[in-house]
Amino acid sequence: MADQPRTLMTLTINGQVVQAAKGTMLVDAAAAVGIEIPIFCYEPRLGAPIGACRMCLVEVEGMRGLQTACSTPVAPDMVVSTDSEVAAEAQDGVLELLLANHPLDCPVCDKGGECPLQDRTFRFGPGETRTLEPKMHFPKPLDLSPLVALDRERCIACFRCVRFSQDVAEDGHLTFQERGDHIEIATASGDPYEGRFTGNTIDLCPVGALTSNPYRFVSRPWEITNTPSVCAGCAMGCNIEITTRDNEVKRLTGRPEPNMAVEEGWICDRGRWGYPALRGDDRLPGAVLVDGVGRRSVPLERALGVAADMLIPHEARVGILLGEVVTVETGFLAMELGDRVGAAPAMVRRMGIPGDGLGLMRALPGAQMDDLDHADLVLVLGGDPCSQQPVAELRIRKARRRGVPVVVVGPRPTALDASCEVVRTAPGQMTDAVVAIREHLDGTRRAIVLWDEADLAAEPGAAEEIARAMAVTEGARAIEMCADVSGPGLRALGISADADLLEAIEAGGIDVLVTISADPTAGPAGDRWAAALDGVGTIIEMASYRSGLTDRAALVLPLLTPLEEEGVLVSMAGRAQRLRPGAREAAGAAAAWEVLIGITHRLGRPVPDRTPAQAFARLAARHAPFAGMDYGTLDREGAVIAAAVATPDPRRPEAGGEGLVIVPCTPVFGDATAHRSDALASVREPTHVGLAPVEAQRLGVRTDSRVRITTPHGEAVLPLRVDSRLHEGAAYLVMGDPAVRAMHLLPVDRGPVRANVTAVAREDVVT
Amino acid sequence: MTADEIEEYLAPMRHEYADPRSLILPALRYAQGEAGWLPPASMSAVAEATGFTEAYVESVASFYDRCYLEPVGRRVLNVCVTLSCMLRGSDEIFDHIADYLGLDGEGTTGDGMFTLQRVQCIGACDRAPCLQVDSGEQVGPLEPADATCLIDDLRDLPAPERYER
Amino acid sequence: MPEFHVVYRHREYGRPLTTLAEYTRVGGFLGLRDAIAMSSDDVLYAFHRSGLRGRGGAGFPMGRKASFLPKNTGKPTYVVCNADESEPGTFKDREIIEQNPFQLIEGIAIAAHAVGCERAYIYIRGEYEAQATVLDAALAETREAGHLGPDALGEGRPFDITLYRGSGAYICGEETALLESLEGKRGQPRLKPPFPAVAGLYGCPTLINNVETLAALPPIMHRGPDWYAALGPEKSPGTKVFSVSGHVLRPGNYEVVLGRTTLRELIVDMAGGLRPGRQVKAVWPGGSSVPVIGAGSLDVPLDYESLEGVGTFLGSGGCIVMDDTGCIVRACHRLAQFYRHESCGKCTPCREGTGWLENILGRMVEGRGRGDDDIRMLEGLFGRISGRTLCALADGAVMPVQSALELFRDEFVRVAHEGSPRPAPMTEAPVG
Ligand SMILES: Cc1cc2nc3c(=O)[nH]c(=O)nc-3n(C[C@H](O)[C@H](O)[C@H](O)COP(=O)(O)O)c2cc1C
Ligand code: SF4
Ligand code: FES
């Protein structure tokens, strides 16, 4: 890393000798040795300290008056007192003034019990509040948005939420209005505060001024348990905390002790408010068996036996298909199961992008998200991190605020465009930008390239050229923006994509198909899959939610979701991190690892593992990328798996034929969870087609018209949005709603494809 | 006022500032010149012309006393009531004007002609007690009768082409 | 000592110098000419030698401040003239702008030459619309004459000045709040350090000075820093304008040599004294933010050190006089209203404390006081505010009240118990 050597300084805090690196603020130096200096406004993740709340006043020998510990850097031989009479009186005084206009409504406040203001009042505060003045009154809580409530009386004007909106998310929508003691948090003329990251303001608020509407009055702090885990909403791998009560997930928040190498404590609103999906109507409550007797519920224990029976005939040829969000333990145990059934080892495949042509990119030296903090160039190649891996956007913005050039290359408009350099390419023509990319890389020493798996997979030619340019650029490193959450982990286990499984099924080579959180009929080439599955004798579906397979399966085994199960997910930057179960909301369901282990027992060929930890240890011993890891080493911040070795790859053909090139988009705010969670109703993105105005004009359609979109793989009728930022010659296919099929329009390898788009009905045509 | 008009006004001064954010206040003052206050439409126009969010523009405007986010009268009568003026009778002048206009303290007359408000020191303590109409010349020292005359004169004037507040 | 005009050159000539021709005729732009002939380091040294101190309030040596600006940072350097003049009782800059605007422009150009600046800003309070109009015209005329523009500071050395109007906020006189406001933000002060000299406007090195400070530069450069340094005492050389207001018969601005005139002379001889039979009760000699002093201190010479010697500050030179008809608690309450209204709201002690202060004083004046409890509460509150805030506004809110309570304790106690009826105001028209 290009950091300067850390100069250590020795100082004294409350008589204790402390060493701290140059530039460390007194609060942090004190905290490192267990001395708490109370703070409210200080939050280094928001930028340089602002010294506004004055809570952290301490005495420093030789300095006139009191100093704010949040903004005073350590200096050699400094003598600091945080608890002297003068300092204590000052802290007490500031608290008294903070409380002067704070309604003491802790008993009814959602923050009560986990409120920094409450805690600090107990620890550092006044014995009594002397104010006799009537406090400021505002009409009671205001909905800042359907998700965030604001109680203005409780606000202590610490600036945290406003700085988050202005300086971190850079959305500019949450501000202070008025001044002096009239100051209040507001949006423009009462518009809702909506965005991709609004919930972080709730985590930041040190009082109960900003609270989560879905969590309002749901539980009290002493009734809940908090479990650290990882969000499975996208491949970013943000660390989260799951709040549980009565075996239900009640809340998700950013991790109070963030993973600075990943999300830095921020999470997106989709991650935060997706949990109501767990209780969605389409959640599978228990096992279902279809046999001669009919269709009926069976206890899970029984169902495992039935599954084993279905897999036992040794001549059966078995396929196992893993979905986009499964843990590495599930992948590993699926392979173990595959080895124990059938005539030959089962075909274990994952739904996802084959990765042809990406070998060189994947073999480049990898980086972590915090490397963006030291980069001298950030290149975003394809994709749209803002909508597909949202928290990556925050880290990219942070780099840009440091003054680092950020260049966004690709066919999609992104939320970064307004503040970064943009190289817009025609869909499928990223090759055209290679010269520009080389120029940007030239002379850099710490460039970080974030590249989109799906876009570059569709253009392996460009990927290769870019990889070569990076390989000769000193210090350049890459982060893959994966389309699938399971992708990096399953690839590291050597599990390849599913195209050949489909071919095998079509050739009649599969008798039993096991799907694990995978519904191929809703995926790429879904129609082809649907037809092929007619030829499969037995389908065993393991899933958390009803799917297009549920009615065709002979056996349905209900699974827990990532918020409920234990296991390891590998993030797009290759970081293996632990999921820890928050709750088990579906009483009849089990974790995939439990189900898989159970079946091997019923088969009479048990795996030795009883826990996912054991399964992980065994997989780490067998699979080089995980060498040396176990749950212990992953405990706090996870660990980075070894990078892939470059392999020569077959190339893919270009999109031939006529029509508009499809640009597939899978925004997390448009995914299945976003559509299942009613909390996200106001911000979810519907499945639709986006067209540039010229294309819309050509077709005579406008926003909200319904269009028929046809590819060699299928057909769908979707609503249209006309957007002037889109490229002509392309149809931007935004998908994810489980109720609307659209993914099936793509080929099974998600390669390039063209579509014919037409107006559906008369009334959709503009005359 | 449209965003285009504001942009046209800002164009010649853009080069004077390293950051376009600096244009927000000039834009707000200019936009306020049209109606004498900043209706939401003007606020959006300023936001559009300067490239910042409406929330941000509103937050800036609401910080400053002389940006009006609510409608005010055709003329704003600013009576300074800070110490030097108080010592020389500003409270009496204020009460007198309020009486004369039929107002109960600060506020706008029913005909929308005048808004009367107390303001903090306007840098004319040598003319105490003093008054400023919009952001015009500070007038004083005032006697109650002077104030009444001034108001009568203002009443006869047409609305200004541009408001300077 | 009579008045002595350095920044009020127009008074010397008996008429406003609002055209370039008039200003040039009385020696205008000779200081700039002389400065340009010198290296910027020599000009900085001249500032230093002159002993000129900031006239905006804090009295920081101008040459020292200018020498803090780092050189060759690769960033532009800015000069910002603080024409916010919002301190109650202060109206001295207004007269410079109205009647001697070119001297200010010339002073800014000299400072720009010294620190290597190509664009300066004058931040003028929004309420000075009439004054801004004069300045605008003066700037245009100066530009036309080539003193501003591509070759203003010599062949190929461009320099220009932008006039920026505030919009009603006292806090924007505080230098970092001013910079925020000039950057298009809410005028809320920044944490210091870094100081503006290092990271000021747009994060660049910035010299920020008051109107009067900058207007003193042309004579300093033309007549020499030693001439200026010889005026007045060693540590407080030069002249200072005092704005006298309140219960005096001839309120107005008076420019005097520091240390040579006493407060009594200023009030009585220059500002016309009080109404017959009235006595001085209280004086805030440096604007409303300084400790108040009583009749016993009237013989203090007007300079920084002497005023500190009697427990107050020279501040901005806004000298507010109250005679024995005034009620000190009422006066304090009025000032507390001012500070509450003007608190920006950024830091806790100021946002909450100024309001609390006003509430206590308010109920005392209105006869709803709680007697000694309120006095004790006041005393407790001072310490919870002063020295604990982000900027000096809150100190300015506390000092006049705290000093008044010390000086007029009996009256406070009485009002805390009995309230204070509105006294009859002074209605005499100013003389002369
Ligand atoms: C609350 C507050 C208000 C101020 N108002 C003004 C002002 O109106 N004009 C001014 O020149 N300085 C004002 N100052 C002082 C400035 O912060 C700064 O010290 C000054 O502009 C420096 O210029 P000088 O060194 O030439 O005095 C104020 C300071 C504070 C704390
Ligand atoms: S709402 Fe909360 S985070 Fe925002 S300023 Fe108020 S106290 Fe701080
Ligand atoms: S934490 Fe230091 S001032 Fe707020």
Side-chain angles (χ1 to χ4, degrees), chain A residues 150 154-162 176 185 201 204-207 209-210:
Chain A
L150 165 65
R154 295 186 189 144
C155 173
I156 58 166
C158 71
F159 282 73
R160 286 172 166 230
C161 55
V162 169
F176 269 122
I185 301 297
T201 59
L204 286 165
C205 183
V207 298
L210 293 172

Side-chain angles (χ1 to χ4, degrees), chain A residues 49-54 57 65-66 68 70-71 86 89-94 96-98 100-101 126 130-134 136 156-159 176-183, chain C residues 168-171 186 188-191 193 340-356 359-360 363 370 374 376-377 380-381 383-385 387-390:
Chain A
I50 58 165
C53 74
R54 318 304 288 177
L57 293 170
L66 295 159
T68 42
C70 70
S71 64
V86 178
E89 195 274 330
Q91 292 161 13
D92 176 284
V94 171
E96 182 183 37
L97 287 165
L98 276 177
N101 272 311
R130 295 172 302 171
T131 174
L132 291 172
E133 314 309 324
M136 297 281 286
I156 58 166
C158 71
F159 282 73
F176 269 122
Q177 292 196 1
E178 304 298 323
R179 69 173 194 231
D181 52 8
H182 296 293
I183 193 165
Chain C
Y170 165 64
I171 190 60
R186 296 159 58 82
Q188 289 171 320
R190 302 174 183 168
L191 193 64
R340 173 187 214 161
H341 181 80
E342 300 298 345
S343 167
C344 82
K346 183 169 179 179
C347 73
T348 311
C350 176
R351 180 183 66 244
E352 306 294 342
T354 49
W356 199 347
N359 287 345
I360 302 174
R363 66 173 172 247
R370 298 178 313 126
D374 269 349
R376 266 193 300 279
M377 190 179 266
L381 196 54
R384 306 228 125 169
I385 304 172
R388 298 188 177 170
T389 50
L390 191 59

Side-chain angles (χ1 to χ4, degrees), chain A residues 39-42 51-56 68 70:
Chain A
I39 52 167
F40 287 113
C41 67
Y42 182 56
C53 74
R54 318 304 288 177
M55 189 60 233
C56 61
T68 42
C70 70

